[in-house]
Amino acid sequence: MANETKQKGKLYLIPTTLGDTAPLEVLPISIKRAIENIDYYIVENEKTARKSIKKISSGKSQPSLHIEILNKYTEPQSIPGFLQPCLDGHDIGILSEAGCPGIADPGADVVKIAHEKDIQVVPLVGPSSIFLALMASGMNGQSFSFKGYLPIDSNDRKKAIKQMERISIDQKQTQICIETPYRNDKLLAEMLKTLSNQTLLCVACDITLPTEYIATKTVSDWKKTPLDLHKRPAIFIVQG
């Protein structure tokens, strides 16, 4: 009698570079091995995903790739179907646009469903701009909170900035946020206007790239420091 229990594939969370960096400078060899062995992928953007795969493993057959798109336009009801290859015994890889899948990334929605379907989730080692910035900030790494993107509305954003500062003081908790790169300069300017002069602010941009810049200063000192963050991926960290 045939065994009706088919072994499921695994869901691999595959980090990518944070910019135009040689992959093996920041990614372990395990990433290359995973890419070479996986033909099914869930990605945010097919063009950039194929480019990343080619950079990591130049010999990988592009026509053999089966790619599903997961971004803000994806219908939630279609997501469970992305995992069908795992149920059929194939491994699947989730690729973020940059850094680690599932952290500030829509891949978390797939991972949640994978657990519900008893599919093994395998996180692979790679760069996370959030954690690399926190490591380099000199701020509290024992208790921290990632706020994601702050509100776009100016008044709401100022309230969020003050709330971050208040929480950091009351709970001694480091507060981390990000912004769309073309709005970085505006966010920094609002932080310098809104935060107290003695509050510590870390600005970390272009992490792992040749133009990497990471500095922690008081708000008072930042007001004397010219800095152009336009279109540069950045992390902002606050500690009152």
Side-chain angles (χ1 to χ4, degrees), residues 129-130 133-134 137 139 145-150 161 164 174-181 183-192 195 200-205 207 215 222 227 229-230 232-239:
S129 58
I130 299 165
L134 178 60
S137 70
M139 297 186 187
S145 177
F146 175 62
K147 304 297 185 182
Y149 293 91
L150 300 190
I161 292 169
M164 288 171 63
T174 301
Q175 304 289 296
I176 309 170
C177 68
I178 55 177
E179 182 53 285
T180 301
R183 288 202 292 258
N184 279 338
D185 287 330
K186 186 173 183 180
L187 175 59
L188 178 59
E190 288 196 345
M191 283 185 152
L192 298 186
L195 296 169
L200 287 174
L201 173 64
C202 175
V203 178
C205 69
I207 295 176
W222 274 117
L227 184 60
L229 296 174
H230 187 58
R232 300 172 71 185
I235 304 286
F236 300 88
I237 308 179
V238 172
Q239 188 171 310

Side-chain angles (χ1 to χ4, degrees), residues 42-78:
I42 300 169
V43 307
E44 286 185 71
N45 180 290
E46 181 170 356
K47 183 178 179 180
T48 55
R50 285 183 179 276
K51 183 178 177 182
S52 294
I53 290 170
K54 188 173 183 178
K55 283 181 68 176
I56 295 168
S57 178
S58 59
K60 181 70 177 179
S61 169
Q62 291 283 328
S64 70
L65 301 180
H66 305 268
I67 293 179
E68 299 285 359
I69 306 300
L70 176 66
N71 55 34
K72 61 183 180 181
Y73 303 109
T74 304
E75 295 290 341
Q77 61 267 27
S78 69

Side-chain angles (χ1 to χ4, degrees), residues 105-146:
D105 174 86
D109 295 333
V110 178
V111 175
K112 179 177 181 292
I113 296 170
H115 286 298
E116 293 170 357
K117 294 179 178 291
D118 292 321
I119 293 169
Q120 183 178 346
V121 178
V122 183
L124 298 181
V125 175
S128 163
S129 58
I130 299 165
F131 292 120
L132 291 172
L134 178 60
M135 288 164 58
S137 70
M139 297 186 187
N140 186 0
Q142 299 292 331
S143 177
F144 55 89
S145 177
F146 175 62

